[in-house]
Each structure stands twice: as structure tokens, then as C-alpha cells.
Amino acid sequence: PPLFVVVGHVNRGKSSIVSTLAADDSVTIDPMPGTTADCHRYRMRIGESILLEFVDTPGFERPRQMLSWLTEHETNTAERAQTVAAFVDLHQQSDTFTRECTLMRPILEGGIILYVVDASRPPSVKEEAEMEILRWTGRPRMALLNPIADADYVKEWRSVLDQYFNMVRRFDAQEADFSERMQLLSALREVSEKTRSPLDHAIDVLKADRRANLEEAAEILAEMLVEILTLTKQKRIQVDVDPVPYHAPLADRYYDRIRDL
């Protein structure tokens, strides 16, 4: 299945993006910076079929220092991806660039980059360094504008992101519904030709599963409504017995059953 590597600065909503796209509630979401210290892989499954794979990565920690190293060791533009690989090989055992090496590995393995930014904050020098590093990899890449707060810096971000990414999309991980998820997956088809066929398959399978879920839900709701509309609770009493004391207990049983349904 296609591998999508979700990267970005610390605390910009990467884990929320992964959780939403993979439809996986097991992804750890935490408002504290730096929750994701390692790479974690999540597979989008329907039954036994693995449709897509997402990697939740730690945020960049020293992007400007990493970019400085890359620039110093560049031989020519065509070999920039090899320079990035050389950086990871050299520093993977050190403590200085632990997060940078961790997040670059799945990209160098052939992952497609999903770069997440918080559209409620303006771009920074650090993030421009991150974007330049990602451009050095030569991998297909899309930027996602994920608004975390109310402020809106989309216009400022687009003028920057368009210089570094094949495609830029706005995607609110907290509010996105099924149709918005499908729209994003459809847009990802255009990032790389290699992903078009498997993404088409994934979209078809997800839509079919969605239809099946809706049909099952409709059937369950219909059965529930039939039972509710035909529900009665009875108590047999003698003809000469006052029925009023039995009204409240019967009503309680009646409404308890409706609540259970």
C-alpha cells in the first residue's frame, strides 16, 4: 500500500491528521508539544485488506542546523537526496539530530510527504528550513493547512508553501467528515503517478464500506422504530381494582425500554 509520511514542526496537529485519515482512534493525540518522539505506523484496513499506511513522525527539532550541514556537504543539485541520506547515516547514532533522523527514514524509504502546518500561526524561519529539507529529498509532497486556533494566516502560508510543494490543501483534522477525507485522498492521487491506482482502489473500497455501514445503520434504526412504535407494557388487574396506582410503574417500564432501545 502507499506510504504517507506525516511531518512538520512540533505540535502542529500531525497526529490528528493521521488519526483522521487512517480512521484510527488509537493514535495518541496530546496538546503538549513533543508527544510523538518516535515514528509510529498506522494502517487503514477494511477487513483483512490494507489500503493505505501512514507514519506519524516526531516534529523537527534542529531543522536550521540540519539544513546548514546539508548545504555545506552538497556536491551538486542532482545528488541532494543522497546528501540527505548521508546525513541520516552519519547522525543516526548521535543525540544531536535524533528526531530529524527518525522522521527522515520513512521518507528515504519511499514515503510520500504530507507536511502539516498550523494555519492559525504565521510561517517562521524554522518552518522554511523544514520545507527546504523536504524539497532536498526529491520525494512527492503535499502541504496541509490545519487550523488549530481561530486566527487565519492561510494567505501568508500559501505564498510560502507554493514554492516548496506539489500541492497545497486546507484540511481541518478535527472537523473533517467522510466526504472531506475522500476529497483529500482524491487530491493525493495527483501527487504521484505510482499512487493513483492504489488510491483509486482505496477510495472505491472505502465508499463501498461506507454505503454498507449506512445500510446496516438504516436497518437497525428501522427495526428500532418499529419496536418503539408498537411497544406496549401491560398489567392484568381485577375489574374492580383502581388502575391509577399502576400507571406510573407501567410508564417507567415503558420509557426505560425505549431508552434501552
Side-chain angles (χ1 to χ4, degrees):
L3 177 67
F4 297 97
V5 185
V6 183
V7 299
H9 200 55
V10 173
N11 210 32
R12 293 296 185 267
K14 297 188 301 297
S15 295
S16 297
I17 294 285
V18 172
S19 177
T20 300
L21 288 179
D24 190 336
D25 292 333
S26 71
V27 180
T28 302
I29 311 296
D30 198 309
M32 294 297 292
T35 301
T36 305
D38 300 304
C39 285
H40 299 284
R41 299 194 178 213
Y42 299 91
R43 290 173 168 175
M44 179 191 286
R45 295 175 180 267
I46 296 295
E48 296 300 315
S49 177
I50 300 171
L51 301 177
L52 306 170
E53 189 170 9
F54 297 90
V55 181
D56 189 15
T57 66
F60 280 95
E61 201 166 36
R62 295 182 175 87
R64 285 181 290 180
Q65 293 91 324
M66 178 179 175
L67 182 58
S68 176
W69 188 97
L70 294 175
T71 305
E72 289 174 9
H73 293 80
E74 179 185 11
T75 52
N76 61 69
T77 306
E79 296 180 357
R80 283 183 167 180
Q82 291 93 314
T83 307
V84 175
F87 173 90
V88 173
D89 288 340
L90 180 65
H91 294 92
Q92 59 185 345
Q93 301 300 328
S94 71
D95 296 330
T96 308
F97 294 102
T98 303
R99 292 195 174 188
E100 279 73 17
C101 291
T102 299
L103 70 90
M104 294 308 297
R105 285 191 199 102
I107 296 174
L108 295 173
E109 290 173 12
I112 295 170
I113 299 167
L114 294 180
Y115 182 68
V116 182
V117 301
D118 178 6
S120 62
R121 300 184 184 186
S124 70
V125 175
K126 260 191 173 184
E127 282 155 328
E128 288 195 30
E130 297 170 0
M131 291 183 270
E132 181 63 16
I133 291 169
L134 296 176
R135 182 161 64 178
W136 275 54
T137 66
R139 296 297 306 151
R141 52 201 179 276
M142 174 191 281
L144 295 179
L145 294 158
N146 179 40
I148 294 177
D150 294 332
D152 189 349
Y153 290 92
V154 170
K155 185 177 179 180
E156 292 84 346
W157 269 111
R158 282 192 178 277
S159 63
V160 176
L161 293 170
D162 285 341
Q163 302 175 49
Y164 294 94
F165 293 90
N166 308 90
M167 198 174 292
V168 180
R169 288 287 184 273
R170 186 185 180 104
F171 187 76
D172 188 336
Q174 300 295 334
E175 301 293 334
D177 58 18
F178 180 80
S179 64
E180 289 169 319
R181 286 171 54 209
M182 294 304 100
Q183 289 172 14
L184 181 58
L185 292 180
S186 294
L188 284 170
R189 294 173 64 256
E190 306 304 320
V191 176
S192 171
E193 288 187 9
K194 292 182 179 180
T195 64
R196 285 184 185 176
S197 179
L199 274 170
D200 283 340
H201 173 67
I203 291 169
D204 289 342
V205 171
L206 288 168
K207 286 182 177 179
D209 181 67
R210 174 77 166 182
R211 284 193 298 272
N213 287 339
L214 290 174
E215 289 170 4
E216 182 181 6
E219 185 176 349
I220 291 170
L221 287 169
E223 291 173 354
M224 178 192 72
L225 287 171
V226 168
E227 187 168 352
I228 286 175
L229 291 170
T230 58
L231 179 67
T232 60
K233 291 296 179 184
Q234 301 177 3
K235 174 71 176 177
R236 187 177 295 275
I237 60 174
Q238 298 292 331
V239 175
D240 56 349
V241 173
D242 181 9
V244 173
Y246 297 98
H247 287 174
L250 279 174
D252 288 343
R253 288 170 54 199
Y254 176 82
Y255 289 113
D256 284 345
R257 177 56 182 159
I258 287 179
R259 279 188 289 268
D260 288 343
L261 291 170

